[in-house]
Amino acid sequence: MYKNFIELLKDADIKYYKDEPMCRHTSFRIGGPCDVFAVPESIDELKEVYSAARECGLRTYILGKGSNVLFADEGYRGVVISTEALCDVAVSGNTLTAQCGASFTHIAAVARDAGLSGLEFAYGIPGAVGGAVFMNAGAYGGKVSDCLAVSTAFDPVSGRIIRTEGDAHEFGYRKSIYKTAPEKVILSAEFTLTPGDKNEIKAKMDDFMGRRRDKQPLEYPSAGSVFKRPEGHFVGQMVEELGLKGYTVGGARVSEKHAGFIINSGGATAKDVTDLIDHIKARVKEAYGVDLECEIIFVK
Ligand SMILES: Cc1cc2nc3c(=O)[nH]c(=O)nc-3n(C[C@H](O)[C@H](O)[C@H](O)COP(=O)(O)OP(=O)(O)OC[C@H]3O[C@@H](n4cnc5c(N)ncnc54)[C@H](O)[C@@H]3O)c2cc1C
């Protein structure tokens, strides 16, 4: 199965790694090996990888910068497809168009340099465009759905490229239409921005970055906020009130700086993280009657 798949990748001259540890590709620095880690360098190559995987009956997982995922300690049996090499960005008038693998922070900087406002919130979110659209990422009052005009996606089942506009993305809190159709691969996004003063845009971005550095444990590997914000509550506040700051399971610890983050304090396993999550959920449920829902995505 894999022999044929590797042959197909070789024939198409597509970059790949065998038995690649996912801890190398996730912001948590956690995760066992996937069978094959493919790095297509063009949309045609990406399509080739999907077609080869289908031909060989292998399952696939599309990965951006791995900043919102937790891979299992056993790794992933199948092909992880990285978007890291698909990172073109272009500006035309008030529209910024980016490929799925472009860094979200980078496109915010490109918009700033072009004197375009609307993506300041993206500065400091450590994901790529595809992951940000998938998650409807947001911060400091801004979110993808405020400025995304169009996205394109590849449907490996039909082989077609689909164009989705505005409201058809069905955005909600940390969700988009792509979450209900995870087989589709976001290829690009078009953001409609507004002309603004470069210095004001920069000042806003610097302010957001400063707030991140002050409040978030950026010195440790993590996957950002572990839980979604429940209606009427703040996760960090509840966790702190329960005295769970610094609570540790193996190498996984509730951050002392931001109680909504779990950090990898060194050698954490995915099991350490999930055991810690279960503990927090149980304590919060018991004390506040609130069912916490995870924002981070588990992959196995
Ligand atoms: C320190 C820190 C701070 C953070 N702060 C914020 C914040 O302020 N706001 C916020 O919203 N998030 C935040 N996050 C979480 C994370 O950065 C965002 O959710 C980000 O948008 C995820 O992008 P990614 O490329 O890393 O996605 P990944 O983690 O690689 O993937 C996330 C999901 O998207 C899917 N996906 C990725 N690319 C594609 C594609 N091309 N097509 C289809 N599906 C795709 C994956 O399959 C997966 O299901 C933070 C994380 C960290 C570590």
Side-chain angles (χ1 to χ4, degrees):
M1 216 159 50
Y2 281 101
K3 205 162 161 267
N4 289 349
F5 179 67
I6 297 289
E7 284 309 315
L8 290 167
L9 292 189
K10 277 187 181 158
D11 287 349
D13 204 16
I14 293 168
K15 199 164 140 190
Y16 70 90
Y17 304 91
K18 274 168 76 180
D19 303 320
E20 177 69 2
M22 290 313 298
C23 56
R24 289 193 190 150
H25 302 279
T26 56
S27 57
F28 240 144
R29 299 282 172 261
I30 294 173
C34 65
D35 293 328
V36 181
F37 187 83
V39 189
E41 292 178 343
S42 66
I43 302 302
D44 283 343
E45 285 195 3
L46 180 116
K47 289 179 178 173
E48 287 278 352
V49 176
Y50 276 98
S51 133
R54 275 175 77 77
E55 200 174 314
C56 299
L58 300 174
R59 65 185 192 132
T60 55
Y61 191 81
I62 184 80
L63 188 72
K65 289 202 179 289
S67 65
N68 209 42
V69 288
L70 179 65
F71 273 85
D73 298 317
E74 297 72 29
Y76 181 82
R77 301 290 65 79
V79 184
V80 173
I81 302 169
S82 167
T83 61
E84 68 187 45
L86 304 171
C87 46
D88 290 349
V89 184
V91 176
S92 170
N94 292 349
T95 302
L96 183 148
T97 307
Q99 276 189 318
C100 52
S103 143
F104 211 36
T105 290
H106 174 64
I107 69 161
V110 171
R112 175 199 60 206
D113 295 345
L116 291 173
S117 173
L119 276 171
E120 292 89 335
F121 76 90
Y123 197 60
I125 296 182
V129 166
V133 172
F134 184 90
M135 295 299 298
N136 190 15
Y140 305 113
K143 51 195 176 312
V144 166
S145 52
D146 295 340
C147 53
L148 184 79
V150 178
S151 67
T152 64
F154 171 61
D155 178 2
V157 180
S158 66
R160 286 176 49 232
I161 292 193
I162 300 149
R163 181 183 157 91
T164 304
E165 295 184 15
D167 290 348
H169 285 97
E170 296 175 12
F171 282 121
Y173 174 55
R174 297 293 175 265
K175 70 172 196 231
S176 69
I177 193 163
Y178 293 113
K179 262 198 162 171
T180 54
E183 74 285 357
K184 299 211 173 54
V185 184
I186 300 160
L187 299 179
S188 70
E190 253 178 63
F191 299 92
T192 302
L193 306 172
T194 48
D197 179 83
K198 275 189 200 180
N199 290 329
E200 280 176 25
I201 296 168
K202 180 176 182 307
K204 211 167 164 185
M205 283 163 56
D206 290 347
D207 173 45
F208 292 163
M209 193 60 104
R211 289 203 239 170
R212 274 181 195 280
R213 288 205 185 100
D214 286 349
K215 300 251 161 63
Q216 298 181 359
L218 302 183
E219 59 282 19
Y220 286 100
S222 80
S225 297
V226 175
F227 303 104
K228 291 185 185 168
R229 195 179 339 103
E231 282 282 315
H233 296 273
F234 290 102
V235 177
Q237 194 183 338
M238 291 189 288
V239 173
E240 194 171 345
E241 282 170 8
L242 289 168
L244 290 173
K245 264 190 169 181
Y247 189 89
T248 301
V249 176
R253 186 192 305 159
V254 177
S255 164
E256 266 122 351
K257 204 166 171 187
H258 188 316
F261 278 52
I262 289 177
I263 58 166
N264 177 354
S265 64
T269 62
K271 182 156 190 325
D272 292 341
V273 175
T274 50
D275 285 353
L276 182 51
I277 287 174
D278 289 346
H279 182 76
I280 296 168
K281 276 182 158 179
R283 292 286 310 275
V284 167
K285 175 75 177 168
E286 185 186 58
Y288 299 92
V290 172
D291 286 305
L292 288 180
E293 208 188 314
C294 280
E295 180 174 325
I296 58 177
I297 294 165
F298 302 93
V299 191
K300 56 183 182 182

